[in-house]
Amino acid sequence: MDMSNWDSVLQFASNSMDINLQEHDFSEFSTAATPDLQVPTPPHSTDGGSPVCDDPLDHNVLVSISTTFYPGANLHTLPPDLALLSTDSVFFYVHSHIILAASDNNFLSLIPTSSSKEQSNNMVIHVPELSPILNIILHIIYDKSCSHYSPSLETLSTAVNRLPSYGIDPKSRITPSTPLHTLLLSHAPLSPMEVYTLAAKHDIYDLAVPTSSHLLSFQLSSITDEIAEAVGPKYLRRLFFLHVGRSEALKRILLQPPHPHAPTPWCDFTNQKTLTRAWALASAYLAWDARPGFLESALAPLAEHLSCDLCKQGLNDRIKNLIVQWSVVKRTI
């Protein structure tokens, strides 16, 4: 595309936005209506970029432009020199040097190399992605938060999985200091296995660790072959070891029954064996069916069957000590 065509596209887009900015079906895009403007003549197909206009004489044309990546967005001190067009015809105005710096394959070889930089300036490039996916990819490249668009976890996962195709390493882009890390982690309480699988697939350890704390009650027997393959042996092993390690730790801290008190006329050592047997039975059950908040709820009812106040006090003290010990057991991979 020559400079005159590029200027006409930019002028058309800017004027369109100033005249009548309307909301697109997707919250992340704006649609500009131009009732009295004539569409600029699109370049020849060999120029490889501009959208096709069905009727150049139509006076009511809609142009969809990203509300984040638009010509006057001030995302950089320099103006954008590249327009990306998604498969659903949404424009994203970006800076070629920022895109190329983030990619090791010229953004799926869509952006010309530096040797032809003069030819690549002011181009419109078709990107084989839907606008919600491309929007997230560009937010990742620019290190901007896309949380205000409220993307679903499925959309986020798709965008992250597409990063390697564009020469972008997800592991280096999703770190604890990045907005996307925070956004993905916000989905962990409700979809822990999905977030953990995504982190494991791209070896994002800093995301997998906090997510694993939400998998403590996850039934490992429900892991399918597809999930196991997606997670991979490295992170699957870590998850299994987390569960096995906590189970063994629970058995150890449950092993010791409440400490017996000194014999009294109404409660000697023989009577106290009743509590010891009840503790052993409850411990065996807990060791096999441990659930969140289970310790106190399963052991406290034992006091209802005790008539000795000293035995009740010893049981309560043992439960409190048990809860403290359990709270310091490792909760993440």
Side-chain angles (χ1 to χ4, degrees):
M1 177 185 292
D2 57 28
M3 184 63 72
S4 61
N5 282 335
W6 172 260
D7 291 339
S8 63
V9 171
L10 280 179
Q11 183 63 34
F12 170 67
S14 300
N15 291 341
S16 300
M17 293 177 66
D18 293 338
I19 291 176
N20 186 14
L21 189 63
Q22 301 176 348
E23 290 295 326
H24 192 270
D25 290 340
F26 298 103
S27 61
E28 63 263 36
F29 311 115
S30 62
T31 303
T34 59
D36 297 319
L37 291 178
Q38 184 173 352
V39 180
T41 303
H44 297 295
S45 59
T46 54
D47 290 340
S50 294
V52 177
C53 178
D54 294 333
D55 184 4
L57 298 179
D58 189 357
H59 293 283
N60 189 17
V61 180
L62 298 178
V63 177
S64 297
I65 303 175
S66 167
T67 56
T68 298
F69 301 95
Y70 59 93
N74 293 324
L75 297 174
H76 193 271
T77 54
L78 297 175
D81 61 349
L82 182 67
L84 304 180
L85 183 62
S86 64
T87 55
D88 49 352
S89 301
V90 178
F91 283 95
F92 296 81
Y93 293 86
V94 296
H95 304 81
S96 59
H97 70 279
I98 294 180
I99 304 297
L100 291 173
S103 172
D104 61 11
N105 66 356
N106 292 340
F107 205 65
L108 196 62
S109 300
L110 296 174
I111 302 178
T113 59
S114 57
S115 60
S116 56
K117 186 175 181 180
E118 293 182 359
Q119 299 178 7
S120 67
N121 282 342
N122 305 329
M123 290 184 62
V124 178
I125 295 178
H126 291 269
V127 180
E129 301 291 346
L130 291 172
S131 53
I133 305 301
L134 181 56
N135 181 53
I136 294 175
I137 291 175
L138 293 177
H139 275 79
I140 294 173
I141 293 175
Y142 277 79
D143 198 22
K144 300 287 185 181
S145 174
C146 59
S147 59
H148 52 289
Y149 297 124
S150 300
S152 65
L153 179 58
E154 181 181 1
T155 301
L156 290 171
S157 299
T158 301
V160 172
N161 289 331
R162 291 292 295 154
L163 288 178
S165 299
Y166 293 95
I168 302 171
D169 180 22
K171 183 178 181 179
S172 63
R173 287 286 169 172
I174 305 176
T175 61
S177 61
T178 59
L180 184 58
H181 180 277
T182 303
L183 183 56
L184 287 171
L185 198 56
S186 69
H187 288 276
L190 295 180
S191 304
M193 198 64 216
E194 289 79 1
V195 178
Y196 186 81
T197 301
L198 181 66
K201 183 176 181 179
H202 300 287
D203 193 21
I204 309 175
Y205 181 75
D206 290 330
L207 178 61
V209 170
T211 301
S212 64
S213 65
H214 298 285
L215 290 169
L216 298 180
S217 60
F218 185 81
Q219 295 296 324
L220 297 180
S221 59
S222 65
I223 295 179
T224 63
D225 292 342
E226 291 76 13
I227 295 177
E229 183 177 357
V231 173
K234 180 180 178 180
Y235 283 87
L236 191 62
R237 174 180 176 273
R238 287 174 172 172
L239 182 59
F240 269 81
F241 273 38
L242 171 63
H243 279 248
V244 172
R246 286 178 60 82
S247 178
E248 293 299 322
L250 179 60
K251 292 176 182 178
R252 288 195 300 270
I253 62 178
L254 283 171
L255 187 61
Q256 180 63 42
H259 190 72
H261 60 78
T264 63
W266 53 86
C267 185
D268 56 19
F269 287 123
T270 302
N271 295 331
Q272 294 180 50
K273 288 182 179 180
T274 302
L275 174 58
T276 302
R277 287 193 295 269
W279 179 273
L281 290 174
S283 298
Y285 168 75
L286 290 174
W288 286 105
D289 191 23
R291 298 176 182 177
F294 62 98
L295 289 178
E296 189 170 6
S297 61
L299 296 174
L302 296 178
E304 299 176 1
H305 304 281
L306 300 175
S307 57
C308 175
D309 291 337
L310 293 177
C311 287
K312 291 181 180 180
Q313 183 61 43
L315 175 62
N316 291 333
D317 292 342
R318 181 68 183 96
I319 292 175
K320 291 179 181 178
N321 179 263
L322 180 65
I323 293 174
V324 172
Q325 288 181 288
W326 182 239
S327 67
V328 298
V329 174
K330 188 178 181 182
R331 298 174 54 86
T332 62
I333 60 173

